């Protein structure tokens, strides 16, 4: 069972805000985001994958997260990510950023931030609160769909 909240759109930043409850303890959800083997199993929207050999993580303040999403139908179509962790509180908080280069509708050098809060909920469940942005309006809905699709894959991983 999972719960979703609606997305919030603040006009000034076009920030995506999502809340998702996972049927797994906080430590397991945290591990799915911070363990390279698990991350490669679920991250990326349906139709895309993250080959394990592209994932490199150093989960600490000043550390990095690098990976490449690959389109399943056309492996030549890729989307690399290279982020830096700004805040890390084990099992509670991950904050990272990445500078945009060549992103449609976003000036080069714009800093995208991603904040994920992991909250323990009754019944060994975890409430994830995710904030990401800024997005151009046409990109925000794609990010929303991508996270939702990825979270469906994460649900399956956590159920094992």
């Amino acid at each position: 069972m999972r719960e979703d909240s609606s997305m919030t759109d603040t006009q000034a930043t076009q920030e995506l805000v999502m809340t998702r409850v996972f049927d797994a303890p906080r430590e397991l959800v945290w591990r799915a985001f911070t363990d390279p083997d698990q991350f490669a199993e679920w991250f990326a929207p349906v139709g895309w994958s993250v080959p394990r050999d592209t994932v490199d993580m150093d989960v600490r303040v000043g550390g990095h997260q690098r990976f490449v999403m690959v389109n399943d139908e056309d492996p030549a179509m890729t989307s690399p990510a290279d982020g830096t962790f700004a805040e890390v509180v084990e099992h509670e908080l991950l904050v990272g950023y990445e500078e945009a280069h060549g992103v449609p509708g976003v000036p080069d050098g714009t800093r995208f931030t991603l904040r994920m809060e992991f909250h323990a909920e009754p019944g060994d469940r975890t409430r994830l609160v995710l904030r990401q942005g800024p997005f151009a309006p046409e990109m925000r809905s794609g990010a929303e769909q991508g996270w939702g699709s990825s979270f469906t894959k994460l649900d399956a991983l956590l159920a094992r």
Side-chain angles (χ1 to χ4, degrees):
M1 181 176 158
R2 63 178 176 78
E3 299 169 13
D4 295 310
S5 72
S6 61
M7 304 305 132
T8 302
D9 179 14
T10 55
Q11 293 299 322
T13 63
Q14 292 290 299
E15 179 180 55
L16 172 65
V17 180
M18 298 179 70
T19 299
R20 176 82 168 225
V21 176
F22 295 97
D23 281 329
R26 183 167 62 169
E27 293 76 15
L28 293 182
V29 177
W30 171 270
R31 190 174 311 130
F33 279 87
T34 60
D35 175 82
D37 293 328
Q38 289 190 33
F39 185 83
E41 284 190 54
W42 70 270
F43 192 80
V46 171
W48 292 75
S49 58
V50 174
R52 172 58 185 92
D53 64 349
T54 71
V55 181
D56 182 25
M57 291 186 188
D58 180 9
V59 184
R60 62 179 176 83
V61 174
H64 61 267
Q65 179 185 50
R66 298 179 188 119
F67 59 90
V68 178
M69 290 190 298
V70 178
N71 184 281
D72 295 339
E73 290 184 17
D74 180 3
M77 187 183 303
T78 63
S79 180
D82 185 356
T84 301
F85 290 107
E87 294 180 61
V88 176
V89 179
E90 189 172 19
H91 303 144
E92 294 179 18
L93 178 68
L94 284 174
V95 179
Y97 63 89
E98 181 175 7
E99 289 192 5
H101 297 286
V103 177
V106 178
D108 280 354
T110 297
R111 182 178 278 199
F112 280 102
T113 60
L114 174 62
R115 177 184 179 90
M116 294 180 290
E117 301 171 10
F118 300 79
H119 301 276
E121 293 287 319
D124 267 344
R125 299 172 73 194
T126 302
R127 179 172 39 93
L128 175 71
V129 179
L130 178 149
R131 294 178 178 276
Q132 186 178 28
F135 288 108
E138 63 275 10
M139 289 183 57
R140 194 181 140 285
S141 65
E144 174 184 337
Q145 292 172 1
W147 278 112
S149 179
S150 292
F151 287 161
T152 298
K153 291 166 43 175
L154 177 54
D155 283 332
L157 173 68
L158 293 170
R160 287 193 246 152

